[in-house]
Amino acid sequence: MVPIQAVLLDMGGVLLEMANAAGLPQGKLDWRGREVLAQLLRRQGGHLGVEDLESLLFAPWRAVYARRYETGREASWAPHLKSLRRATGCRLRDATLLGAWFQPYGEQLTPIVGALEAVRELQQGGLHLGLVSNVALPGVLYERVLRRHGFLAALPVRQFSYDSGSRKPSPAMLRAALLALGVDPAAAVMVGDRRGSDVAAGRAAGLRTIWLRSADGGGPRPDLEIDSMSELPAVIGSRR
């Protein structure tokens, strides 16, 4: 068997506690984010209340987001943000506007226990590391969180579904990450907490797979299973 040279990691549930399955602001954090966004728009001269954001931005986006499994790609925010700019006269970029809404939620995200130590140990062991994650917002917003918690420097290759135009279980992002790392699929492993997306994508791309056990167990069987990220370096090390 070819020794492992690269490890691709999912983000939510593997590196970061995302607070909810969608990895998006919900509940009180959603409302707080809307208040931050509305304040930003008002500073730009727009006359807009928090309640106006639902009809202008969030409801139209959710209608497309609900079909992401059918389309195999994330719902674009661009046309809805264009409508928001038209209504308010704001000229701020998409990432700035979405970042305002995301901010209160992003500040609450924390690392999975043992994840940062595991990533650093893998990096120090000479392995090539990459991130492959399904996310409904531009990757730059999640990169800020990863940087704050010390992950970003160890993950030079990052594939986010919103930016890539494809989402797991498609193998496209995994193949792109391995191409950037210069590693053959046979020498790589995909680590994720969702068998239906992470393990399925890894198998489709020709990688070995490790499932971090979770409630999301429907899908292909992984090659290996672990109960915590602290176990990962030893499991990878035994197959090098």
PDB file of all heavy atoms in Angstrom, residues 22-49:
ATOM      1  N   ALA A  22     -25.561  23.735   9.428  1.00  0.00           N
ATOM      2  CA  ALA A  22     -25.417  24.562   8.235  1.00  0.00           C
ATOM      3  C   ALA A  22     -24.136  25.387   8.236  1.00  0.00           C
ATOM      4  O   ALA A  22     -23.666  25.817   7.176  1.00  0.00           O
ATOM      5  CB  ALA A  22     -26.620  25.493   8.102  1.00  0.00           C
ATOM      6  N   GLY A  23     -23.540  25.619   9.412  1.00  0.00           N
ATOM      7  CA  GLY A  23     -22.356  26.465   9.481  1.00  0.00           C
ATOM      8  C   GLY A  23     -22.664  27.906   9.141  1.00  0.00           C
ATOM      9  O   GLY A  23     -21.851  28.613   8.550  1.00  0.00           O
ATOM     10  N   LEU A  24     -23.861  28.356   9.550  1.00  0.00           N
ATOM     11  CA  LEU A  24     -24.342  29.704   9.249  1.00  0.00           C
ATOM     12  C   LEU A  24     -24.930  30.349  10.510  1.00  0.00           C
ATOM     13  O   LEU A  24     -25.329  29.643  11.433  1.00  0.00           O
ATOM     14  CB  LEU A  24     -25.449  29.644   8.194  1.00  0.00           C
ATOM     15  CG  LEU A  24     -25.056  29.307   6.767  1.00  0.00           C
ATOM     16  CD1 LEU A  24     -26.309  28.972   5.961  1.00  0.00           C
ATOM     17  CD2 LEU A  24     -24.314  30.470   6.131  1.00  0.00           C
ATOM     18  N   PRO A  25     -25.026  31.680  10.529  1.00  0.00           N
ATOM     19  CA  PRO A  25     -25.698  32.324  11.655  1.00  0.00           C
ATOM     20  C   PRO A  25     -27.150  31.874  11.746  1.00  0.00           C
ATOM     21  O   PRO A  25     -27.878  31.877  10.752  1.00  0.00           O
ATOM     22  CB  PRO A  25     -25.602  33.817  11.314  1.00  0.00           C
ATOM     23  CG  PRO A  25     -24.427  33.921  10.389  1.00  0.00           C
ATOM     24  CD  PRO A  25     -24.446  32.653   9.594  1.00  0.00           C
ATOM     25  N   GLN A  26     -27.578  31.489  12.927  1.00  0.00           N
ATOM     26  CA  GLN A  26     -28.964  31.115  13.174  1.00  0.00           C
ATOM     27  C   GLN A  26     -29.409  31.680  14.512  1.00  0.00           C
ATOM     28  O   GLN A  26     -28.584  32.024  15.355  1.00  0.00           O
ATOM     29  CB  GLN A  26     -29.122  29.582  13.170  1.00  0.00           C
ATOM     30  CG  GLN A  26     -28.907  28.939  11.814  1.00  0.00           C
ATOM     31  CD  GLN A  26     -29.134  27.437  11.826  1.00  0.00           C
ATOM     32  OE1 GLN A  26     -29.303  26.814  12.869  1.00  0.00           O
ATOM     33  NE2 GLN A  26     -29.132  26.818  10.642  1.00  0.00           N
ATOM     34  N   GLY A  27     -30.727  31.790  14.699  1.00  0.00           N
ATOM     35  CA  GLY A  27     -31.270  32.252  15.969  1.00  0.00           C
ATOM     36  C   GLY A  27     -30.798  33.649  16.351  1.00  0.00           C
ATOM     37  O   GLY A  27     -30.792  34.566  15.534  1.00  0.00           O
ATOM     38  N   LYS A  28     -30.357  33.794  17.601  1.00  0.00           N
ATOM     39  CA  LYS A  28     -29.938  35.104  18.097  1.00  0.00           C
ATOM     40  C   LYS A  28     -28.730  35.642  17.338  1.00  0.00           C
ATOM     41  O   LYS A  28     -28.618  36.854  17.128  1.00  0.00           O
ATOM     42  CB  LYS A  28     -29.614  35.017  19.590  1.00  0.00           C
ATOM     43  CG  LYS A  28     -30.825  34.771  20.477  1.00  0.00           C
ATOM     44  CD  LYS A  28     -30.437  34.724  21.946  1.00  0.00           C
ATOM     45  CE  LYS A  28     -31.651  34.490  22.831  1.00  0.00           C
ATOM     46  NZ  LYS A  28     -31.283  34.423  24.278  1.00  0.00           N
ATOM     47  N   LEU A  29     -27.828  34.755  16.928  1.00  0.00           N
ATOM     48  CA  LEU A  29     -26.643  35.216  16.210  1.00  0.00           C
ATOM     49  C   LEU A  29     -27.001  35.709  14.808  1.00  0.00           C
ATOM     50  O   LEU A  29     -26.366  36.622  14.279  1.00  0.00           O
ATOM     51  CB  LEU A  29     -25.605  34.100  16.141  1.00  0.00           C
ATOM     52  CG  LEU A  29     -24.981  33.720  17.489  1.00  0.00           C
ATOM     53  CD1 LEU A  29     -24.065  32.511  17.333  1.00  0.00           C
ATOM     54  CD2 LEU A  29     -24.210  34.892  18.086  1.00  0.00           C
ATOM     55  N   ASP A  30     -28.003  35.108  14.207  1.00  0.00           N
ATOM     56  CA  ASP A  30     -28.510  35.594  12.921  1.00  0.00           C
ATOM     57  C   ASP A  30     -29.066  37.007  13.100  1.00  0.00           C
ATOM     58  O   ASP A  30     -28.746  37.922  12.331  1.00  0.00           O
ATOM     59  CB  ASP A  30     -29.583  34.630  12.407  1.00  0.00           C
ATOM     60  CG  ASP A  30     -30.302  35.139  11.164  1.00  0.00           C
ATOM     61  OD1 ASP A  30     -29.719  35.938  10.419  1.00  0.00           O
ATOM     62  OD2 ASP A  30     -31.457  34.727  10.953  1.00  0.00           O
ATOM     63  N   TRP A  31     -29.884  37.195  14.128  1.00  0.00           N
ATOM     64  CA  TRP A  31     -30.486  38.505  14.356  1.00  0.00           C
ATOM     65  C   TRP A  31     -29.427  39.559  14.673  1.00  0.00           C
ATOM     66  O   TRP A  31     -29.475  40.678  14.155  1.00  0.00           O
ATOM     67  CB  TRP A  31     -31.504  38.419  15.488  1.00  0.00           C
ATOM     68  CG  TRP A  31     -32.234  39.710  15.708  1.00  0.00           C
ATOM     69  CD1 TRP A  31     -32.068  40.597  16.723  1.00  0.00           C
ATOM     70  CD2 TRP A  31     -33.241  40.277  14.859  1.00  0.00           C
ATOM     71  NE1 TRP A  31     -32.910  41.677  16.576  1.00  0.00           N
ATOM     72  CE2 TRP A  31     -33.640  41.512  15.432  1.00  0.00           C
ATOM     73  CE3 TRP A  31     -33.840  39.854  13.661  1.00  0.00           C
ATOM     74  CZ2 TRP A  31     -34.608  42.320  14.848  1.00  0.00           C
ATOM     75  CZ3 TRP A  31     -34.812  40.674  13.087  1.00  0.00           C
ATOM     76  CH2 TRP A  31     -35.177  41.883  13.682  1.00  0.00           C
ATOM     77  N   ARG A  32     -28.464  39.192  15.492  1.00  0.00           N
ATOM     78  CA  ARG A  32     -27.384  40.142  15.807  1.00  0.00           C
ATOM     79  C   ARG A  32     -26.605  40.503  14.552  1.00  0.00           C
ATOM     80  O   ARG A  32     -26.215  41.661  14.345  1.00  0.00           O
ATOM     81  CB  ARG A  32     -26.456  39.545  16.862  1.00  0.00           C
ATOM     82  CG  ARG A  32     -27.054  39.554  18.276  1.00  0.00           C
ATOM     83  CD  ARG A  32     -26.195  38.786  19.248  1.00  0.00           C
ATOM     84  NE  ARG A  32     -24.827  39.265  19.267  1.00  0.00           N
ATOM     85  CZ  ARG A  32     -23.811  38.625  19.859  1.00  0.00           C
ATOM     86  NH1 ARG A  32     -24.055  37.474  20.483  1.00  0.00           N
ATOM     87  NH2 ARG A  32     -22.601  39.126  19.845  1.00  0.00           N
ATOM     88  N   GLY A  33     -26.357  39.518  13.703  1.00  0.00           N
ATOM     89  CA  GLY A  33     -25.653  39.771  12.456  1.00  0.00           C
ATOM     90  C   GLY A  33     -26.428  40.701  11.539  1.00  0.00           C
ATOM     91  O   GLY A  33     -25.846  41.570  10.878  1.00  0.00           O
ATOM     92  N   ARG A  34     -27.729  40.515  11.497  1.00  0.00           N
ATOM     93  CA  ARG A  34     -28.552  41.405  10.675  1.00  0.00           C
ATOM     94  C   ARG A  34     -28.484  42.843  11.200  1.00  0.00           C
ATOM     95  O   ARG A  34     -28.484  43.805  10.414  1.00  0.00           O
ATOM     96  CB  ARG A  34     -30.007  40.911  10.654  1.00  0.00           C
ATOM     97  CG  ARG A  34     -30.175  39.582   9.931  1.00  0.00           C
ATOM     98  CD  ARG A  34     -31.634  39.178   9.839  1.00  0.00           C
ATOM     99  NE  ARG A  34     -31.768  37.810   9.348  1.00  0.00           N
ATOM    100  CZ  ARG A  34     -32.791  37.366   8.625  1.00  0.00           C
ATOM    101  NH1 ARG A  34     -33.771  38.200   8.318  1.00  0.00           N
ATOM    102  NH2 ARG A  34     -32.844  36.119   8.218  1.00  0.00           N
ATOM    103  N   GLU A  35     -28.436  42.986  12.500  1.00  0.00           N
ATOM    104  CA  GLU A  35     -28.317  44.332  13.077  1.00  0.00           C
ATOM    105  C   GLU A  35     -26.991  44.972  12.682  1.00  0.00           C
ATOM    106  O   GLU A  35     -26.935  46.154  12.337  1.00  0.00           O
ATOM    107  CB  GLU A  35     -28.435  44.263  14.596  1.00  0.00           C
ATOM    108  CG  GLU A  35     -29.833  43.927  15.086  1.00  0.00           C
ATOM    109  CD  GLU A  35     -29.904  43.848  16.595  1.00  0.00           C
ATOM    110  OE1 GLU A  35     -28.918  43.382  17.210  1.00  0.00           O
ATOM    111  OE2 GLU A  35     -30.939  44.255  17.164  1.00  0.00           O
ATOM    112  N   VAL A  36     -25.911  44.187  12.715  1.00  0.00           N
ATOM    113  CA  VAL A  36     -24.599  44.704  12.311  1.00  0.00           C
ATOM    114  C   VAL A  36     -24.624  45.111  10.848  1.00  0.00           C
ATOM    115  O   VAL A  36     -24.105  46.167  10.460  1.00  0.00           O
ATOM    116  CB  VAL A  36     -23.503  43.644  12.561  1.00  0.00           C
ATOM    117  CG1 VAL A  36     -22.170  44.119  11.999  1.00  0.00           C
ATOM    118  CG2 VAL A  36     -23.367  43.358  14.049  1.00  0.00           C
ATOM    119  N   LEU A  37     -25.218  44.267   9.995  1.00  0.00           N
ATOM    120  CA  LEU A  37     -25.300  44.568   8.567  1.00  0.00           C
ATOM    121  C   LEU A  37     -26.140  45.816   8.322  1.00  0.00           C
ATOM    122  O   LEU A  37     -25.754  46.687   7.517  1.00  0.00           O
ATOM    123  CB  LEU A  37     -25.893  43.366   7.827  1.00  0.00           C
ATOM    124  CG  LEU A  37     -26.155  43.544   6.325  1.00  0.00           C
ATOM    125  CD1 LEU A  37     -24.894  43.978   5.595  1.00  0.00           C
ATOM    126  CD2 LEU A  37     -26.709  42.251   5.726  1.00  0.00           C
ATOM    127  N   ALA A  38     -27.291  45.928   8.994  1.00  0.00           N
ATOM    128  CA  ALA A  38     -28.143  47.106   8.813  1.00  0.00           C
ATOM    129  C   ALA A  38     -27.421  48.382   9.241  1.00  0.00           C
ATOM    130  O   ALA A  38     -27.531  49.426   8.582  1.00  0.00           O
ATOM    131  CB  ALA A  38     -29.440  46.933   9.602  1.00  0.00           C
ATOM    132  N   GLN A  39     -26.679  48.322  10.329  1.00  0.00           N
ATOM    133  CA  GLN A  39     -25.914  49.486  10.786  1.00  0.00           C
ATOM    134  C   GLN A  39     -24.867  49.884   9.763  1.00  0.00           C
ATOM    135  O   GLN A  39     -24.651  51.074   9.493  1.00  0.00           O
ATOM    136  CB  GLN A  39     -25.261  49.175  12.128  1.00  0.00           C
ATOM    137  CG  GLN A  39     -26.242  49.075  13.287  1.00  0.00           C
ATOM    138  CD  GLN A  39     -25.615  48.507  14.539  1.00  0.00           C
ATOM    139  OE1 GLN A  39     -24.397  48.279  14.596  1.00  0.00           O
ATOM    140  NE2 GLN A  39     -26.423  48.246  15.560  1.00  0.00           N
ATOM    141  N   LEU A  40     -24.202  48.889   9.179  1.00  0.00           N
ATOM    142  CA  LEU A  40     -23.199  49.163   8.151  1.00  0.00           C
ATOM    143  C   LEU A  40     -23.840  49.853   6.958  1.00  0.00           C
ATOM    144  O   LEU A  40     -23.296  50.836   6.433  1.00  0.00           O
ATOM    145  CB  LEU A  40     -22.542  47.847   7.717  1.00  0.00           C
ATOM    146  CG  LEU A  40     -21.550  47.935   6.543  1.00  0.00           C
ATOM    147  CD1 LEU A  40     -20.360  48.819   6.904  1.00  0.00           C
ATOM    148  CD2 LEU A  40     -21.078  46.534   6.154  1.00  0.00           C
ATOM    149  N   LEU A  41     -24.990  49.374   6.532  1.00  0.00           N
ATOM    150  CA  LEU A  41     -25.674  49.971   5.390  1.00  0.00           C
ATOM    151  C   LEU A  41     -26.113  51.397   5.688  1.00  0.00           C
ATOM    152  O   LEU A  41     -26.023  52.279   4.827  1.00  0.00           O
ATOM    153  CB  LEU A  41     -26.872  49.113   5.001  1.00  0.00           C
ATOM    154  CG  LEU A  41     -26.520  47.739   4.398  1.00  0.00           C
ATOM    155  CD1 LEU A  41     -27.756  46.864   4.333  1.00  0.00           C
ATOM    156  CD2 LEU A  41     -25.894  47.897   3.021  1.00  0.00           C
ATOM    157  N   ARG A  42     -26.567  51.627   6.907  1.00  0.00           N
ATOM    158  CA  ARG A  42     -26.973  52.988   7.272  1.00  0.00           C
ATOM    159  C   ARG A  42     -25.776  53.935   7.284  1.00  0.00           C
ATOM    160  O   ARG A  42     -25.901  55.105   6.894  1.00  0.00           O
ATOM    161  CB  ARG A  42     -27.688  52.984   8.622  1.00  0.00           C
ATOM    162  CG  ARG A  42     -29.114  52.395   8.556  1.00  0.00           C
ATOM    163  CD  ARG A  42     -29.913  52.725   9.807  1.00  0.00           C
ATOM    164  NE  ARG A  42     -29.433  51.998  10.974  1.00  0.00           N
ATOM    165  CZ  ARG A  42     -29.878  50.798  11.341  1.00  0.00           C
ATOM    166  NH1 ARG A  42     -30.809  50.187  10.623  1.00  0.00           N
ATOM    167  NH2 ARG A  42     -29.410  50.204  12.416  1.00  0.00           N
ATOM    168  N   ARG A  43     -24.626  53.431   7.705  1.00  0.00           N
ATOM    169  CA  ARG A  43     -23.417  54.286   7.680  1.00  0.00           C
ATOM    170  C   ARG A  43     -23.026  54.642   6.250  1.00  0.00           C
ATOM    171  O   ARG A  43     -22.347  55.657   6.025  1.00  0.00           O
ATOM    172  CB  ARG A  43     -22.258  53.572   8.381  1.00  0.00           C
ATOM    173  CG  ARG A  43     -22.393  53.503   9.889  1.00  0.00           C
ATOM    174  CD  ARG A  43     -21.057  53.236  10.559  1.00  0.00           C
ATOM    175  NE  ARG A  43     -20.489  51.954  10.169  1.00  0.00           N
ATOM    176  CZ  ARG A  43     -20.722  50.803  10.784  1.00  0.00           C
ATOM    177  NH1 ARG A  43     -21.548  50.772  11.823  1.00  0.00           N
ATOM    178  NH2 ARG A  43     -20.159  49.691  10.371  1.00  0.00           N
ATOM    179  N   GLN A  44     -23.438  53.812   5.309  1.00  0.00           N
ATOM    180  CA  GLN A  44     -23.160  54.078   3.908  1.00  0.00           C
ATOM    181  C   GLN A  44     -24.227  54.960   3.262  1.00  0.00           C
ATOM    182  O   GLN A  44     -24.196  55.218   2.059  1.00  0.00           O
ATOM    183  CB  GLN A  44     -23.079  52.756   3.139  1.00  0.00           C
ATOM    184  CG  GLN A  44     -21.946  51.855   3.569  1.00  0.00           C
ATOM    185  CD  GLN A  44     -20.584  52.441   3.259  1.00  0.00           C
ATOM    186  OE1 GLN A  44     -20.329  52.883   2.144  1.00  0.00           O
ATOM    187  NE2 GLN A  44     -19.697  52.465   4.241  1.00  0.00           N
ATOM    188  N   GLY A  45     -25.191  55.387   4.076  1.00  0.00           N
ATOM    189  CA  GLY A  45     -26.229  56.285   3.575  1.00  0.00           C
ATOM    190  C   GLY A  45     -27.522  55.612   3.206  1.00  0.00           C
ATOM    191  O   GLY A  45     -28.467  56.276   2.740  1.00  0.00           O
ATOM    192  N   GLY A  46     -27.624  54.300   3.394  1.00  0.00           N
ATOM    193  CA  GLY A  46     -28.842  53.581   3.041  1.00  0.00           C
ATOM    194  C   GLY A  46     -29.888  53.667   4.138  1.00  0.00           C
ATOM    195  O   GLY A  46     -29.560  53.575   5.323  1.00  0.00           O
ATOM    196  N   HIS A  47     -31.123  53.849   3.758  1.00  0.00           N
ATOM    197  CA  HIS A  47     -32.227  53.912   4.730  1.00  0.00           C
ATOM    198  C   HIS A  47     -32.882  52.535   4.743  1.00  0.00           C
ATOM    199  O   HIS A  47     -33.746  52.220   3.924  1.00  0.00           O
ATOM    200  CB  HIS A  47     -33.224  54.999   4.335  1.00  0.00           C
ATOM    201  CG  HIS A  47     -32.610  56.363   4.273  1.00  0.00           C
ATOM    202  ND1 HIS A  47     -32.255  57.074   5.410  1.00  0.00           N
ATOM    203  CD2 HIS A  47     -32.260  57.143   3.219  1.00  0.00           C
ATOM    204  CE1 HIS A  47     -31.733  58.227   5.065  1.00  0.00           C
ATOM    205  NE2 HIS A  47     -31.719  58.303   3.736  1.00  0.00           N
ATOM    206  N   LEU A  48     -32.464  51.745   5.711  1.00  0.00           N
ATOM    207  CA  LEU A  48     -32.891  50.354   5.727  1.00  0.00           C
ATOM    208  C   LEU A  48     -33.040  49.859   7.155  1.00  0.00           C
ATOM    209  O   LEU A  48     -32.184  50.107   7.998  1.00  0.00           O
ATOM    210  CB  LEU A  48     -31.835  49.489   5.003  1.00  0.00           C
ATOM    211  CG  LEU A  48     -32.190  48.034   4.774  1.00  0.00           C
ATOM    212  CD1 LEU A  48     -33.170  47.911   3.623  1.00  0.00           C
ATOM    213  CD2 LEU A  48     -30.931  47.240   4.455  1.00  0.00           C
ATOM    214  N   GLY A  49     -34.129  49.158   7.424  1.00  0.00           N
ATOM    215  CA  GLY A  49     -34.323  48.553   8.728  1.00  0.00           C
ATOM    216  C   GLY A  49     -33.942  47.091   8.695  1.00  0.00           C
ATOM    217  O   GLY A  49     -33.867  46.480   7.630  1.00  0.00           O
TER     218      GLY A  49
END
